[in-house]
Structures are given as structure tokens and as C-alpha cells.
Amino acid sequence: MPAPADVAQALDIKPGSKVVRRSRVYRDRHGIVAHSTSWIPARYGKLVPQLAESERLTGGTSLQLIAQATGHPITRRIDTASASRLTPEHALLLKLDSENPPADPVVVMTAKFLDSEDTVVEYGVDLGAPGRTWRTETEVTL
């Protein structure tokens, strides 16, 4: 599919360039926690054909498969996080009632992954459902 302008900018490619779009929905017992979309330049889809398939990947994550195929390890990740009002598009992705939307904002998180050649290999956008708490835990050794 052609890259939208914002995705093309994040991937450092021309708008309209071919990309692979992979989407996933994360749920828990209360419903949808998040909707996640990954955008990958089409050249990696040619190297790793299963990236273009809708099934769950086998043999590793998209980043692991791309690194194996190119020989360039992923060396950097750039993240952003922001709050946003719920848009009709967000409501659709999160399967919420757009006629009676929740008042809570959604969390929009992005991640840009670069390889050892400083090439952007994947851009991800996660949309956190309104009213949900996100928790991360990282082990720290000094």
C-alpha cells in the first residue's frame, strides 16, 4: 500500500512509496487494551515475504526477521507518547461507540526502529484505549 505522508516522513521515504502495514489488537478480560499498527518499507517485505501476510509471524518478530535478512541488527529505538482526544478513526480501531464516545483521552505511542546503518526499518503506532492504565517495568542493573 502507499505510505501516508506522516508514515513516509517517519520512515524517511517519499510519500506514496510502497509499505507493508501490519495491525494487531491487544485484549484483556475487559476488552480492547490497544490497537497497534506497524509500517515497514516494502523492500523488507520482499526480503521477508511473511511480513506481507496477515498471520502471526513465525521465526521471530518483524525486527528480528528483518535483521536476519539484511545482516544489520536493530540498534536504536525512538519513542514518543502523547494524549489525544478520541477521533472517529480511533473509535473505529478500538471498536468503541462513536455515537457515545468515552470522555477519556487515548494514548498515542510511536516507536521508530533503526538498524546499524541508521536506516529506519519500522515505524509503529500504538493507540491505547481510553481509561486504561499502561504499565511498564524495566530491570535496572548498576
Side-chain angles (χ1 to χ4, degrees), residues 1-22 37-43 120-123:
M1 75 176 308
D6 61 323
V7 170
Q9 181 178 6
L11 290 172
D12 197 24
I13 59 177
K14 293 180 182 174
S17 296
K18 297 286 184 196
V19 292
V20 173
R21 179 180 185 266
R22 295 185 55 83
T37 302
S38 297
W39 302 88
I40 302 167
R43 65 181 172 273
V120 181
V121 299
E122 185 172 318
Y123 174 63

Side-chain angles (χ1 to χ4, degrees), residues 20-24 36-38 40 50-51 53 55 57:
V20 173
R21 179 180 185 266
R22 295 185 55 83
S23 293
R24 296 156 309 286
S36 181
T37 302
S38 297
I40 302 167
Q50 73 169 310
L51 291 174
E53 299 169 7
E55 290 81 30
L57 297 174

